[in-house]
Amino acid sequence: MEEDMYYGDGLSDIGDLGDIDEDLLRAYLDGDEVSPEIEELLKAYGQEAPEALSRVTVKELWENCLSPTFFQTVENLLPLFLLCFVFKLICSFSKSGSDDQDIPPWLIHLSSLMFGLLALHMFFQRNLFYLLLCSILAFAVLVITNWRNRDYCGLSLSVFIIVYLIACEFLMDKTVWHSIRGAQIILSMKIIGLAFDLSTGVMIEFPSVFAFFGYNFCVGTVIFGPWISFSEYKHILSQHKRPMKVFWVLKVLFSLICALLCVVCSTCLVHWLILDTNFKWIVAYRDAQSFRFSHYFVSFLSEVTVILCGLGATHLNDDVRWDLRVSKPYHIEVPRSLVEVVTNWNIPMHTWLKNYVFKSARPLGNFAAIFLTYVASALLHGLNFQLAAVLLSLGVYTYVEYVFRNKLSVIFDACIKARRCKEGCGHAYKYSHPYVITANLLFGSVAVFHLAYLGLMFDHSSSEESGYSMEHTLSKWSSLNYLSHWVILGTFLFHVII
């Protein structure tokens, strides 16, 4: 139904090709790579490319895409929301450290584990076994390492997770592994973060088996994230200090509305506004933006689930603030720099990478620390050429932008660094100066250009379910003549010259 909305009458104009031929052309229109057979088929019917797609009416858009997407999304997510809410109600009976504690902590952690496994079964069915196996093996490694030498907990668990992820890449079915990859990333971050906290002394007490598995499979974070630290997770034991007041409800509703708006934008509106007949760079921007809005959808959705569980708040004296932010779309869609994009893309993951990777690698130098941070991110995402290529490219891009703009800020004594200057900086030309505004807008436009190029290959082709191949990535960048990479190379050379 949704496909017909985008295809319009393009297929009927090509002629009576039969069922098989029509399927081939539909695959072509989906954005799949064009095989020589399809090209010969099109030429045989006197067609070099499918006819231009026409924009459907607003009524058809609503009936064929907006309405189904909205209601199906709500229908699929309601059971997860209900699990999170019921779990918070159960946790509300626990009053850690008080005399009238009704439920022991181990039972709360066990409830967290059970509700999380139920949520995993709803989304992944029997494939949750791979996540459970990872957690069981990780706990065994953690216990042994802590017994022998606690200082090596972080290193040993990092090695274990990398080995486990690589094994899954080669031993598991590609489609199955791709479907659980997101949940596995969150689980891996939790395990490694907890292990490093033990190594560095941030955590003194070794977690019980119930606390470890309750943390790993907390229903509010097990599907969509976000990553939360073990210390934040332990607030489930003091939910009486985080009551369900007006601001809690407002935060849940705000994040839910934003999530639903993002999913309809990603699925329907972006492709309706920008058709395939536009200039290739406009189409590239559209495909990249569609991918970005799907990421915003997951980010806002993760805010909903974690806050429904009663987590994701900060305390200022006796004041509870439900101020969790997973992503900041405005700073990505209208960026000041690529550095700002990376920082605001996934804030909890950025915090995790900064605390557990970047700071550890900082003695090796800025470039090495940045590069190793993106390598760690790529490894967490699995052995996928496309993700690795994008992440490593982004690492090089942000470094070049950072050093180039820092040098320009010194030369021109202006606030044009990749990172926003703090109040009272020593630059002669502040943000309000017309030249500074123009320069920052120019750099922001270049960042948008790079984002369109890097996000182009995250389309809705048939490779999406099993992971994109190297050929898919290179073909997409080749269609744009690798222009973004050439621009960043030229930027670096210019930086060296000046």
Side-chain angles (χ1 to χ4, degrees), residues 85-291:
F85 180 70
V86 172
F87 177 66
K88 176 168 173 57
L89 291 179
I90 294 174
C91 293
S92 298
F93 291 101
S94 173
K95 299 180 180 180
S96 180
S98 63
D99 296 332
D100 56 345
Q101 183 171 336
D102 299 319
I103 300 178
W106 68 266
L107 188 55
I108 293 294
H109 294 309
L110 182 60
S111 299
S112 177
L113 169 62
M114 293 297 103
F115 276 79
L117 291 178
L118 184 57
L120 284 171
H121 187 268
M122 287 192 307
F123 281 84
F124 307 125
Q125 289 75 47
R126 295 181 180 180
N127 295 327
L128 68 86
F129 166 77
Y130 299 103
L131 300 168
L132 187 58
L133 176 63
C134 176
S135 191
I136 293 173
L137 295 176
F139 186 72
V141 173
L142 187 64
V143 169
I144 295 172
T145 309
N146 182 71
W147 171 56
R148 299 293 296 177
N149 191 331
R150 176 174 285 198
D151 293 341
Y152 291 100
C153 282
L155 179 61
S156 64
L157 266 296
S158 298
V159 172
F160 164 76
I161 289 295
I162 292 173
V163 171
Y164 187 84
L165 293 177
I166 293 175
C168 288
E169 287 284 350
F170 290 101
L171 299 178
M172 285 179 60
D173 177 77
K174 295 295 183 183
T175 302
V176 171
W177 173 237
H178 190 69
S179 67
I180 67 171
R181 191 194 301 272
Q184 179 63 58
I185 292 172
I186 298 298
L187 177 62
S188 301
M189 292 169 63
K190 289 179 179 179
I191 292 171
I192 294 174
L194 186 150
F196 270 106
D197 286 345
L198 284 171
S199 297
T200 58
V202 174
M203 280 180 58
I204 304 300
E205 184 180 355
F206 190 84
S208 67
V209 62
F210 294 108
F212 180 82
F213 284 93
Y215 169 57
N216 286 343
F217 295 99
C218 177
V219 64
T221 60
V222 71
I223 303 295
F224 301 107
W227 170 80
I228 58 172
S229 66
F230 185 75
S231 60
E232 169 62 20
Y233 162 76
K234 289 193 297 184
H235 281 99
I236 64 170
L237 300 176
S238 55
Q239 284 301 300
H240 60 289
K241 296 181 180 179
R242 296 184 174 189
M244 294 177 283
K245 292 185 177 180
V246 175
F247 288 107
W248 179 81
V249 176
L250 291 178
K251 176 61 177 178
V252 170
L253 291 177
F254 174 79
S255 297
L256 179 59
I257 291 171
C258 289
L260 294 174
L261 289 174
C262 288
V263 73
V264 296
C265 283
S266 173
T267 308
C268 307
L269 294 179
V270 171
H271 294 274
W272 182 73
L273 291 172
I274 303 176
L275 300 179
D276 288 336
T277 52
N278 282 279
F279 178 56
K280 63 181 181 180
W281 274 99
I282 301 297
V283 174
Y285 175 81
R286 178 203 67 186
D287 291 342
Q289 189 179 59
S290 176
F291 166 71

Side-chain angles (χ1 to χ4, degrees), residues 472-487:
H472 179 272
T473 304
L474 296 180
S475 67
K476 289 289 187 178
W477 282 346
S478 176
S479 67
L480 299 178
N481 303 314
Y482 298 99
L483 185 57
S484 177
H485 283 98
W486 286 114
V487 169

Side-chain angles (χ1 to χ4, degrees), residues 294-367:
S294 67
H295 167 73
Y296 305 150
F297 164 66
V298 174
S299 298
F300 283 117
L301 199 57
S302 66
E303 292 181 9
V304 175
T305 56
V306 76
I307 291 172
L308 274 175
C309 284
L311 303 175
T314 56
H315 291 260
L316 184 61
N317 298 324
D318 294 330
D319 184 27
V320 179
R321 297 183 179 180
W322 301 98
D323 53 1
L324 174 69
R325 295 295 300 274
V326 175
S327 183
K328 295 182 179 180
Y330 173 78
H331 294 282
I332 300 170
E333 295 301 314
V334 189
R336 184 179 182 277
S337 65
L338 282 176
V339 173
E340 187 174 82
V341 171
V342 171
T343 303
N344 293 284
W345 180 259
N346 188 322
I347 298 172
M349 189 172 193
H350 171 74
T351 301
W352 186 92
L353 289 168
K354 181 177 69 175
N355 290 337
Y356 301 115
V357 181
F358 181 79
K359 289 183 178 179
S360 300
R362 191 67 182 270
L364 301 176
N366 281 335
F367 178 77

Side-chain angles (χ1 to χ4, degrees), residues 16-121:
D16 185 13
L17 301 179
D19 293 337
I20 297 178
D21 295 338
E22 184 172 321
D23 289 340
L24 289 173
L25 290 176
R26 285 186 181 279
Y28 180 93
L29 292 174
D30 272 336
D32 290 352
E33 298 173 18
V34 184
S35 65
E37 291 81 3
I38 294 179
E39 290 183 342
E40 290 298 324
L41 179 65
L42 293 173
K43 291 178 181 178
Y45 283 88
Q47 300 288 333
E48 295 297 330
E51 294 294 326
L53 305 180
S54 59
R55 183 176 288 110
V56 300
T57 65
V58 175
K59 180 181 179 181
E60 291 173 321
L61 179 69
W62 167 257
E63 293 177 348
N64 296 332
C65 191
L66 290 175
S67 177
T69 299
F70 180 87
F71 289 107
Q72 288 174 15
T73 301
V74 172
E75 181 182 355
N76 292 333
L77 293 174
L78 271 179
L80 177 61
F81 295 160
L82 183 61
L83 283 177
C84 294
F85 180 70
V86 172
F87 177 66
K88 176 168 173 57
L89 291 179
I90 294 174
C91 293
S92 298
F93 291 101
S94 173
K95 299 180 180 180
S96 180
S98 63
D99 296 332
D100 56 345
Q101 183 171 336
D102 299 319
I103 300 178
W106 68 266
L107 188 55
I108 293 294
H109 294 309
L110 182 60
S111 299
S112 177
L113 169 62
M114 293 297 103
F115 276 79
L117 291 178
L118 184 57
L120 284 171
H121 187 268

